[in-house]
Amino acid sequence: MGAMAYEVRPRILFIDAYDSFSNNIISLLQTDLDVDVTVIKIDEPIKDFTSFLKPFSAVVAGPGPGHPKTPGDVGWFNELWALKRQDLLPIMGICLGFQSLVLAFGGKVEELSEPRHGILRKIRSNGQLMFTGLVDITSVQYHSLYASIGSISEGDMVGDKHMCPDLRPLAWDLELDNPSMSNAPPNKNPEAILMAVAHASRPFYGIQFHPESICSNANARKIISRWWMIAQSWNQLHRHQAVPMLENGTVTRRSPCFDVNDPSMVQGPTTSRPTISAIDGENRKATCNTNGSPTVSTSDQNVKNGSCVLPRTTNELAEVKVFSQSLVTTDITVPDVCEVLQIQNEQFILLDSELHQRPIVGISSILGIVAPTSLRLEYNIGTNQVRHVQNGNVSAVDLESHGGTIFSYLKSFMKQHRAEGGDDDVPFWGGLMGYITYEACLETIDIPTSQQRETPDLSFVFVERSIVFDHRRQKIHVQSIKPNDWEWVCRTLSCLQSFRPAGQKPASITPFPTRISLPNEEVYKSKIRDCQTSLRQGHSYELCLTTQCTVQTPRSLSPWSLYLRLRQHNSAPFAAYLRLGPLTLLSSSPERFLCWSRPAVANPHKASKPAGVSDHIKTSTCQFRPIKGTVHRKPKDPTAQPVTLAEATAILSTDKERAENLMIVDLIRHDLHGVVGFGNVHVRKLMVVEAYATLYQLVTVIEGTLHIDDDDQEEEDPRLFHFSQTGLQHQHHHQRFDNTHPDREYSHPVRQAHRNHSNNKTGIDVLAASLPPGSMTGAPKRRSCALLQKLEQGRERGVYSGVVGYLDAGGGGDFSVVIRSAFRWDPESESESTSLPSSSLAAGAPAGSSPRTGEDNSSGPPLTNGDGTHKLDGSNGSTRFQGEEKKDEAEAAAVELAAQPWIIGAGGAVTCLSTEEGEWEEMQGKMRSTMGVFGGTGWKQ
């Protein structure tokens, strides 16, 4: 089949220096300049770089970590500045690219005394070249290093003499334009820092700041448009338009992932996927009674007869019916339903928002019921198979036949277990519920971990029976996607209707002994100093340092009773309780990581569909809610009044707090742009203070729109997600610089697969492309994670810093970041031995009047009186006991403690503006919010 002809647009080459903001710059180029952008890495193996450049109208040398003096950090940048006159083309260097340009033509690059990461500053220009007509410019800066071409004077403002005659200064950051706050320390940086240059005779330009940042103003963005106008004029005068044609006069579109050593790459353009304008999903109403009587939501499709055998081994899609009945009630709580189902000591999953409902988040709670027949999927990093655990049997499935990665497998699995016809107002009809550990997240960006684990790095269970609480409408939905399961739905609803709550009562536990090991203060503070050393050297903008404590509790203590205490003590919109395989998790997370809506048919009353877009297009909205910036509601001084919202807002308006949040916002925009396409990402809420039970937090909301071709999804072969490594193998190619870059992704299939296919993207693609959560890493993400592994000495974070949530059979999903939590790994046999027999209502047996099980029968004092008297001094990191006032260690030792401890992680984002004491106190406050559940804060006040 011949190549399709189409109107050719100019092509810009973007050279990515492994930065976490690159996609934001590419989006700016594509949306503001109407160009196609091809992306390569700074160490991409290319046989003839000069010939490779010929098809392009211009090049952008992007930002990145490291130093421009280090060849491995800049790669092909140095080749750009050394081009011969006949090979010249317009080049724009941004941040690291700018510093590389200055260094190449005689300038100096040195460390700033006070690095500027995520800081918004005014820029003063001389009004020349791309600054023509632009007066009010404010832009975000991300740099630890600064470039210099000589002393700044009034003469330099118009380009007079300085030590680099080949470079013309264009703009500066002047301290007099950026006065510090009254309480800020004195400025230690130069009074004037160079922000932009142009080469005197070559079409080379550079800017230090980041016009693509969400907080940079419109004039900062216009600088890129002005540069592009200059570049086009230069091309018209000095070179033929860089649009090579094939013999038949057409141009072939290619994937952004390509073999850069293929000679054909200098003959035809590589273009990114076309940008499709957002189409709002239709606001569909659920068909359910408002009088509280049971209703049924079913699919119009035929239901397969027979039992549900998982997993399906054919490509035939399941036609699943959602059986659902609902009950309107104001009396029955989430714990009440667990009591009715008699599952308190069984394995189950609860995503719980009941005690911290907000207008937009926290409006639903989801109870996923796990039975022995439920299929559990388990995965360990570094392996090529997923384990199926069901009815005590274990089998393995090769990932290579499902795209080669665990995420392509999950996408294939969910495609073959789709359900339709449920209530649109219910976020979860059934599907996979589970967790992804931090270590499994690291695998998506090729960060190796120290050792193989016996516990799963990723685990999901296929939930067929579920109960969803709609707190806003005060409804309970009893659901099943299990074939012919109408009887269980009706019976469960009947039990809930006949249930008579005993009334609210505080969660109480008899005081119990614990063995607690706390972080060492001096060790943690020394790591803060190490973080700041790396930041000043330009290796990262922000590092999210963490530590952990461990708590051993009596073996007889019910995890469910601890969770009830936690949800009362530290209520949160994304709380969770999981008992799944060997993991028990108690979480009071305030942070949503990512959610996405079910794909919905475009509203025909909205704007018309873009040309060339399929009639079967559906849209799905993805949302991130990163939290960075923390103020404790309870002051350190016990006699002081609680902090008010206004006071917290003032504290969180400082450069430090806003910079922490901004860096993660720009990072998430980068991740999201890489999947949903350019022009489809929007920041809906920027750095708003929200109140939680023990903290105030600075929150941002970022959304992106996926455009899904439903017909194409139906025909999709999961093996399409296997990415050929052609073009990324480098060992046989001669290079003029070291190709073993520390941030090299070595063609990891997850990352490359998401770049390679523009159709069929779902929320699972966004999930895989965005892990690990940026709020738990820093930026640039990959370099930051590698640094943190060394700083944390290879200690595993486990499920802390990972994510927990669900993949809905209707196509949606929702995951929270695991923070403010405690988790424990138990031997599989031990975790299962405490489970009830499968005769409970949750397992499908008739409901009777059996006694409550899994209930903590003790009647001790409430939380405020249950912490004993032995507050631990965490200054030496020692291990001690905590219990009732008169119980000494010998008595406590007589109590049988569980073999495995609870692990509580906590930390914070370290920037160059951080103080050791401030970071230590922030970590303590976060850890205390969970430690209180076990009987105290752990640290002396």
Side-chain angles (χ1 to χ4, degrees):
M1 182 176 178
M4 180 180 65
Y6 69 99
E7 182 181 354
V8 175
R9 296 193 300 170
R11 298 175 63 202
I12 290 179
L13 176 67
F14 183 87
I15 304 181
D16 181 8
Y18 293 96
D19 197 61
S20 287
F21 305 144
S22 296
N23 286 339
N24 300 334
I25 300 174
I26 297 166
S27 176
L28 187 154
L29 295 173
Q30 290 200 317
T31 55
D32 288 14
L33 308 186
D34 192 29
V35 298
D36 288 329
V37 180
T38 296
V39 183
I40 65 169
K41 297 293 187 182
I42 52 172
D43 56 347
E44 203 79 60
I46 301 172
K47 286 182 179 179
D48 186 345
F49 187 64
T50 302
S51 297
F52 176 73
L53 294 177
K54 291 187 182 298
F56 298 100
S57 298
V59 178
V60 174
H67 198 290
K69 286 184 179 179
T70 304
D73 287 340
V74 292
W76 289 117
F77 291 179
N78 289 337
E79 304 297 315
L80 294 174
W81 317 130
L83 287 172
K84 295 180 180 179
R85 187 161 297 277
Q86 66 270 21
D87 299 318
L88 293 178
L89 76 167
I91 301 170
M92 168 62 80
I94 299 177
C95 200
L96 181 65
F98 160 79
Q99 295 167 2
S100 174
L101 168 61
V102 172
L103 195 65
F105 290 96
K108 297 187 299 184
V109 176
E110 299 175 297
E111 289 186 15
L112 287 169
S113 297
E114 297 173 341
R116 291 174 177 166
H117 295 149
I119 303 300
L120 187 65
R121 304 275 292 184
K122 291 182 179 179
I123 308 298
R124 182 188 294 196
S125 79
N126 58 15
Q128 297 177 5
L129 296 174
M130 61 265 202
F131 292 91
T132 301
L134 300 179
V135 179
D136 180 21
I137 302 171
T138 57
S139 187
V140 173
Q141 298 179 26
Y142 289 107
H143 60 112
S144 303
L145 313 173
Y146 74 101
S148 172
I149 59 175
S151 61
I152 300 297
S153 67
E154 287 301 320
D156 290 320
M157 291 297 206
V158 292
D160 280 354
K161 295 180 181 180
H162 46 78
M163 71 180 187
C164 300
D166 288 330
L167 297 178
R168 298 169 54 187
L170 299 177
W172 300 261
D173 176 325
L174 302 180
E175 194 61 31
L176 62 89
D177 292 335
N178 295 277
S180 301
M181 298 177 63
S182 58
N183 59 346
N187 174 58
K188 298 179 182 179
N189 289 330
E191 292 297 312
I193 298 176
L194 186 66
M195 286 287 117
V197 298
H199 195 279
S201 60
R202 297 183 172 214
F204 298 164
Y205 308 85
I207 56 176
Q208 175 65 76
F209 50 90
H210 284 248
E212 83 288 351
S213 173
I214 191 63
C215 285
S216 295
N217 72 357
N219 280 350
R221 290 179 63 102
K222 287 178 182 178
I223 292 168
I224 299 299
S225 300
R226 301 293 174 86
W227 162 76
W228 177 235
M229 293 171 62
I230 295 169
Q232 289 178 302
S233 297
W234 191 94
N235 280 333
Q236 290 175 359
L237 290 174
H238 298 280
R239 65 198 294 248
H240 296 297
Q241 187 62 31
V243 183
M245 309 297 287
L246 299 181
E247 292 182 0
N248 62 358
T250 62
V251 181
T252 304
R253 285 188 179 269
R254 295 176 184 264
S255 162
C257 294
F258 52 84
D259 183 354
V260 292
N261 296 288
D262 185 345
S264 66
M265 281 308 303
V266 299
Q267 298 175 358
T270 299
T271 62
S272 64
R273 52 183 172 273
T275 299
I276 305 171
S277 61
I279 303 173
D280 293 334
E282 183 180 9
N283 185 17
R284 294 172 290 174
K285 300 293 184 181
T287 55
C288 53
N289 279 334
T290 58
N291 59 5
S293 59
T295 61
V296 183
S297 296
T298 63
S299 167
D300 292 334
Q301 300 174 347
N302 294 326
V303 181
K304 300 287 185 183
N305 293 323
S307 60
C308 181
V309 181
L310 301 174
R312 296 173 177 86
T313 58
T314 70
N315 285 331
E316 181 182 4
L317 298 182
E319 296 175 325
V320 177
K321 177 183 293 185
V322 180
F323 299 99
S324 174
Q325 287 195 334
S326 60
L327 169 68
V328 174
T329 176
T330 59
D331 300 326
I332 304 178
T333 66
V334 170
D336 286 339
V337 173
C338 294
E339 177 183 329
V340 171
L341 297 178
Q342 303 174 5
I343 60 174
Q344 298 97 318
N345 275 6
E346 294 194 52
Q347 296 212 353
F348 69 97
I349 297 177
L350 172 63
L351 307 180
D352 183 7
S353 301
E354 184 173 49
L355 296 186
H356 195 98
Q357 301 165 33
R358 306 183 75 91
I360 299 175
V361 299
I363 59 176
S364 299
S365 296
I366 300 171
L367 175 61
I369 296 166
V370 180
T373 56
S374 300
L375 174 66
R376 196 165 79 231
L377 310 179
E378 295 183 345
Y379 170 75
N380 283 94
I381 60 176
T383 64
N384 62 351
Q385 61 182 22
V386 57
R387 294 184 301 278
H388 288 185
V389 182
Q390 189 175 30
N391 275 326
N393 300 316
V394 180
S395 60
V397 175
D398 186 3
L399 292 177
E400 288 302 318
S401 61
H402 294 274
T405 75
I406 184 59
F407 292 99
S408 57
Y409 174 81
L410 292 175
K411 189 172 179 179
S412 173
F413 182 95
M414 291 308 300
K415 178 190 167 186
Q416 296 193 32
H417 296 85
R418 292 166 64 180
E420 294 185 359
D423 188 335
D424 287 344
D425 286 331
V426 178
F428 181 77
W429 297 339
L432 292 176
M433 299 181 75
Y435 65 87
I436 304 171
T437 65
Y438 179 72
E439 284 67 40
C441 296
L442 289 180
E443 188 183 47
T444 68
I445 55 173
D446 294 323
I447 298 293
T449 54
S450 57
Q451 60 186 3
Q452 294 289 328
R453 281 158 295 282
E454 295 182 1
T455 55
D457 292 304
L458 176 151
S459 182
F460 285 91
V461 63
F462 188 67
V463 172
E464 295 176 289
R465 292 170 171 170
S466 61
I467 297 177
V468 176
F469 304 78
D470 185 335
H471 302 303
R472 183 172 51 183
R473 296 180 177 86
Q474 297 182 324
K475 266 190 173 184
I476 297 177
H477 301 269
V478 181
Q479 307 173 122
S480 177
I481 57 172
K482 194 171 184 178
N484 305 317
D485 205 26
W486 182 242
E487 181 183 354
W488 178 85
V489 171
C490 295
R491 188 170 62 249
T492 302
L493 187 80
S494 177
C495 289
L496 293 177
Q497 288 174 320
S498 61
F499 179 76
R500 296 294 177 265
Q504 293 290 332
K505 59 180 179 180
S508 60
I509 304 177
T510 299
F512 54 88
T514 59
R515 180 182 286 123
I516 300 179
S517 178
L518 295 170
N520 181 285
E521 181 176 358
E522 183 49 45
V523 170
Y524 191 75
K525 288 182 175 179
S526 71
K527 291 178 181 179
I528 295 170
R529 294 192 291 271
D530 291 340
C531 284
Q532 292 181 320
T533 298
S534 293
L535 297 174
R536 291 191 177 93
Q537 292 173 347
H539 297 302
S540 177
Y541 311 133
E542 175 181 44
L543 290 167
C544 297
L545 180 68
T546 73
T547 186
Q548 60 184 216
C549 77
T550 59
V551 183
Q552 281 186 279
T553 56
R555 181 184 297 272
S556 59
L557 184 64
S558 161
W560 177 247
S561 64
L562 287 172
Y563 175 71
L564 292 180
R565 203 179 194 201
L566 176 65
R567 77 194 293 267
Q568 185 180 73
H569 168 63
N570 194 34
S571 61
F574 301 103
Y577 177 82
L578 273 78
R579 290 198 69 186
L580 184 62
L583 176 71
T584 302
L585 170 68
L586 322 174
S587 175
S588 58
S589 174
E591 182 174 356
R592 166 177 281 158
F593 173 55
L594 164 68
C595 72
W596 63 92
S597 61
R598 293 189 183 102
V601 177
N603 190 335
H605 301 294
K606 296 291 182 180
S608 60
K609 166 178 67 70
V613 177
S614 167
D615 291 329
H616 302 281
I617 287 291
K618 293 183 177 180
T619 61
S620 175
T621 299
C622 307
Q623 183 191 90
F624 291 82
R625 296 187 92 255
I627 288 179
K628 273 297 169 198
T630 302
V631 173
H632 306 295
R633 301 189 73 163
K634 184 179 180 182
K636 197 172 183 181
D637 180 359
T639 64
Q641 293 294 315
V643 176
T644 66
L645 178 60
E647 291 170 336
T649 301
I651 295 171
L652 292 172
S653 296
T654 62
D655 284 346
K656 173 190 178 296
E657 301 296 343
R658 292 181 67 85
E660 286 184 18
N661 195 286
L662 175 59
M663 283 185 265
I664 302 308
V665 172
D666 280 340
L667 184 153
I668 289 173
R669 291 173 59 235
H670 160 89
D671 288 340
L672 198 48
H673 271 131
V675 181
V676 305
F678 307 118
N680 293 322
V681 177
H682 307 280
V683 176
R684 301 300 186 191
K685 183 189 293 186
L686 183 61
M687 289 186 264
V688 175
V689 179
E690 292 184 354
Y692 296 88
T694 59
L695 304 166
Y696 293 103
Q697 304 267 204
L698 201 59
V699 180
T700 295
V701 177
I702 307 114
E703 291 184 352
T705 304
L706 282 165
H707 300 273
I708 302 168
D709 190 332
D710 202 43
D711 270 4
D712 207 22
Q713 268 204 322
E714 294 289 318
E715 299 172 2
E716 177 186 305
D717 184 341
R719 289 171 293 181
L720 286 175
F721 285 87
H722 178 69
F723 174 67
S724 170
Q725 297 183 6
T726 303
L728 292 172
Q729 300 295 338
H730 57 271
Q731 58 269 32
H732 300 303
H733 298 293
H734 174 68
Q735 298 292 329
R736 282 170 281 185
F737 52 85
D738 181 16
N739 199 28
T740 57
H741 192 276
D743 297 315
R744 185 71 187 167
E745 291 184 20
Y746 294 111
S747 58
H748 188 273
V750 172
R751 284 307 201 195
Q752 303 301 342
H754 296 309
R755 294 191 190 121
N756 201 31
H757 297 280
S758 58
N759 298 323
N760 311 311
K761 298 291 186 182
T762 71
I764 297 176
D765 296 280
V766 178
L767 175 67
S770 304
L771 294 171
S775 60
M776 303 307 296
T777 63
K781 187 182 286 187
R782 191 174 193 280
R783 180 73 69 94
S784 297
C785 287
L787 290 170
L788 288 167
Q789 280 232 300
K790 294 179 181 178
L791 289 165
E792 296 178 6
Q793 300 175 313
R795 171 182 49 78
E796 295 178 4
R797 295 187 183 182
V799 73
Y800 169 70
S801 298
V803 297
V804 60
Y806 66 81
L807 302 173
D808 169 49
D814 201 347
F815 286 84
S816 64
V817 182
V818 181
I819 53 177
R820 318 290 192 272
S821 62
F823 69 94
R824 186 175 74 188
W825 300 107
D826 291 312
E828 187 90 22
S829 58
E830 181 177 316
S831 66
E832 291 183 348
S833 66
T834 59
S835 298
L836 293 174
S838 57
S839 59
S840 66
L841 176 60
S849 55
S850 57
R852 294 171 58 182
T853 54
E855 175 187 8
D856 179 53
N857 294 316
S858 60
S859 56
L863 174 64
T864 53
N865 297 322
D867 58 359
T869 59
H870 297 297
K871 298 287 182 82
L872 295 186
D873 181 357
S875 60
N876 61 4
S878 60
T879 300
R880 303 186 185 183
F881 281 94
Q882 177 176 309
E884 294 174 280
E885 183 175 2
K886 297 182 179 180
K887 187 185 289 284
D888 59 21
E889 291 197 9
E891 287 182 274
V895 178
E896 184 181 9
L897 298 178
Q900 299 300 321
W902 294 97
I903 299 172
I904 302 172
V910 179
T911 71
C912 287
L913 298 175
S914 299
T915 64
E916 293 176 24
E917 190 62 32
E919 292 299 326
W920 170 251
E921 289 181 0
E922 179 178 338
M923 182 278 294
Q924 281 186 305
K926 292 173 179 177
M927 193 168 279
R928 282 192 185 105
S929 69
T930 306
M931 284 183 62
V933 174
F934 296 93
T937 63
W939 280 280
K940 288 182 177 178
Q941 300 294 327

